Amino acid sequence: MTTTIPGEPWSTGVARDGAGVASVAGVPVADLAAQHGTPAYVLDEGDLRGRASAYRRAFETAFAEIGAGVDVYYAGKAFLSLAVARWVHDEGLRVDTASGGELAIALRAGVPGAHIGLHGNNKSDDEIVTALDAGVGRIIVDSLVEIERVADLAGARGVVAPVMVRVTTGVHAGGHEYISTAHEDQKFGLSIAPTPAASEQVVAAAATSSDAGGDSPAMRGLLAVLARPELHLLGIHSHIGSQILDPSGFEVAARAVLELRAALAERTGVLVDEVDLGGGYGIAYLPGEVALDPDRIAKDVAASVAASAADVGTPLPRFSIEPGRAIVGPAGLTLYTVGTVKPVRIDDGRTRTYVSVDGGMSDNIRPALYGAAYHAEIVGRLSDAEPVLARVVGKHCESGDIVVHEVQLPGDVRAGDLLAVAATGAYGRSMASNYNQVPRPPVVAVRDGGSRVLIRRETIADLLALDEG
Ligand code: LLP
């Protein structure tokens, strides 16, 4: 692991000047720190927009070649704010939301309801009603119970709800069990395997008038949707996991979904219009890691679905994908100030230098939650001191409060140094907490030599304002 600026895992706008001071889109990090304080999430707008349009163009081009349409939905769970919703919408993306809060931000940003999808394995009635009233383009239903709930709520409002049924294909992909969502023993979707849990059988029997014995939960879900006139069955949805670097999982899952689509058509005569392949496109977190290339993955997936549809003997549906991390992850970095430096002797006789920064697990829970690896560098100056084995830690009262597990930093790292962690744009601010009553950092956008605050820094007054005493 070495100094790699410029290049991945840093956003395209990160550079170092002759004196070694890093800048983002032309703004020196010292100016960002002086203007906005640290810690701060810094978002490179040009980089984010470039990734959004690269994904859209790559998929549109590759799918046009096989004669299929495709929509790219930005998965707002990775990070959503009014500005980011507008940027991705400007770049021709739609927005995938997974809660009433995300939905509200997308709508407030001016994204048309028809270009928004609503996900969630336990949507509240309020969330469903908000989505129906906003005319969202799709509600992705996740259980047999929810199918009835959405139908009832749509019926009560006199509308027909466009729904996709989320299915699990048994394909397990991605970096960590908790972020892999299509294996069987987890909460999402309806399995395509014909071995339903007993509780689902009971609900399915109540939900469908036909004898659904032996069918998979996924098939039961599709039949249950078709049985309700208040629902329009738009298609089938499959998301297999996150931070996926091997494209084969997408292809296997897509084939399974196309087979299910064909089986439904054979059974009912209904050939659904759309298949959503979810998100999960992996990025580089460390120097030397290689992100999935949008052109490559789009071509591979398009070729594979074309072959699968031909084998299955059905015309191609319209497709959609839902990248989140791949759009916003590399566009973000977190800027911290070093507070204390402490050499600690470790078991093998080596010394590890603990470098404490002014944030920690409250602004990036991923190292503690998933063991996620990150890359950090001192960005306010260049040093020719020998590198030392360092661990970047936060200021929280917990020894697992690790920001970067292992990284080489210059041996003269000291209090006051600015330290940046790369590729924190996704699931950083969006999973941030107030642990130890630490206010959450601002999100600062940088573009063309200027910066502006997208989300302001929380204050102690914000924290106290919620406390009713
Ligand atoms: N679509 C659906 C239905 C999803 O569940 C997800 C992520 C995405 C799209 C976007 O996945 P992406 O392209 O961002 O990988 N907190 C974890 C990631 C959880 C992802 C959950 N679902 C992390 O920090 O790695």
Side-chain angles (χ1 to χ4, degrees), residues 75 77-78 96 119 166 178-179 181 188 237-239 241-244 276 278-281 285 322-326 366 369-370 374 426-427 431:
K77 69 203 78 189
D96 154 27
H119 269 281
R166 180 158 174 181
Y178 297 163
I179 58 176
T181 56
F188 289 110
H237 186 289
S238 155
H239 170 81
S242 213
Q243 185 53 15
I244 297 167
D276 190 306
Y281 303 89
Y285 282 99
E322 297 171 336
R325 183 192 320 260
R366 300 191 72 258
L369 191 55
Y370 313 122
Y374 282 89
Y427 305 109
M431 292 173 76

Side-chain angles (χ1 to χ4, degrees), residues 359-380:
M361 64 194 298
S362 58
D363 60 70
N364 188 358
I365 192 65
R366 300 191 72 258
L369 191 55
Y370 313 122
Y374 282 89
H375 177 63
E377 291 185 31
I378 298 301
V379 286

Side-chain angles (χ1 to χ4, degrees), residues 10 28 77 136 154 171-172 174 188 233 309 315 319 345 427 431 469:
W10 302 99
K77 69 203 78 189
V136 300
V171 179
H172 177 160
F188 289 110
L233 180 59
F319 286 90
R345 259 302 251 268
Y427 305 109
M431 292 173 76

Side-chain angles (χ1 to χ4, degrees), residues 24-372:
V24 186
V27 186
V29 288
D31 293 0
L32 289 170
Q35 212 179 328
H36 304 288
T38 62
Y41 300 104
V42 179
L43 211 45
D44 181 342
E45 177 179 345
D47 180 275
L48 189 155
R49 285 179 179 269
R51 288 174 202 277
S53 70
Y55 260 88
R56 183 179 56 72
R57 277 188 279 107
F59 275 79
E60 282 177 358
T61 307
F63 279 71
E65 269 164 31
I66 62 163
V70 66
D71 296 306
V72 179
Y73 285 73
Y74 169 65
K77 69 203 78 189
F79 173 68
L80 200 60
S81 72
L82 295 175
V84 166
R86 286 186 199 115
W87 298 346
V88 295
H89 184 56
D90 281 355
E91 300 301 333
L93 272 57
R94 300 180 174 208
V95 179
D96 154 27
T97 64
S99 70
E102 290 179 10
L103 177 59
I105 292 173
L107 289 170
R108 175 75 65 85
V111 180
H115 288 189
I116 298 175
L118 178 67
H119 269 281
N121 68 299
N122 188 19
K123 304 170 190 74
S124 69
D125 286 2
D126 273 356
E127 289 172 327
I128 294 167
V129 164
T130 306
L132 293 171
D133 288 350
V136 300
R138 51 172 66 174
I139 296 177
I140 296 89
V141 292
D142 195 273
S143 64
L144 296 167
V145 173
E146 189 180 68
I147 289 167
E148 304 309 320
R149 191 174 293 158
V150 174
D152 290 345
L153 290 166
R157 311 186 83 72
V159 296
V160 173
V163 302
M164 298 187 95
V165 174
R166 180 158 174 181
V167 305
T168 51
T169 56
V171 179
H172 177 160
H176 188 282
E177 187 191 352
Y178 297 163
I179 58 176
S180 302
T181 56
H183 56 300
E184 303 297 339
D185 189 7
Q186 48 79 27
K187 68 178 183 173
F188 289 110
L190 291 165
S191 172
I192 63 167
T195 49
S199 60
E200 291 284 61
Q201 284 181 26
V202 172
V203 178
T208 59
S209 52
S210 64
D211 174 17
D215 285 330
S216 65
M219 179 60 86
R220 289 167 193 218
L222 294 165
L223 295 173
V225 172
L226 289 175
R228 295 292 304 251
E230 308 93 326
L231 303 177
H232 168 60
L233 180 59
L234 200 59
I236 306 175
H237 186 289
S238 155
H239 170 81
I240 57 173
S242 213
Q243 185 53 15
I244 297 167
L245 292 167
D246 170 6
S248 59
F250 293 111
E251 299 174 9
V252 176
R255 172 174 284 260
V257 170
L258 290 171
E259 284 169 358
L260 177 64
R261 175 173 174 262
L264 179 71
E266 199 171 312
R267 174 92 165 256
T268 64
V270 176
L271 187 65
V272 296
D273 291 335
E274 286 204 37
V275 165
D276 190 306
L277 300 175
Y281 303 89
I283 64 167
Y285 282 99
L286 301 177
E289 272 184 347
V290 181
L292 278 186
D293 172 54
D295 291 315
R296 182 75 264 145
I297 183 80
K299 278 203 184 79
D300 289 352
V301 173
S304 150
V305 297
S308 295
D311 288 350
V312 170
T314 49
L316 282 163
R318 187 172 185 85
F319 286 90
S320 42
I321 60 162
E322 297 171 336
R325 183 192 320 260
I327 308 297
V328 70
L333 61 79
T334 311
L335 193 58
Y336 300 99
T337 303
V338 172
T340 62
V341 177
K342 184 192 287 179
V344 173
R345 259 302 251 268
I346 54 178
D347 287 348
D348 57 8
R350 288 184 304 165
T351 297
R352 195 196 307 281
T353 301
Y354 275 78
V355 176
S356 296
V357 295
D358 48 356
M361 64 194 298
S362 58
D363 60 70
N364 188 358
I365 192 65
R366 300 191 72 258
L369 191 55
Y370 313 122

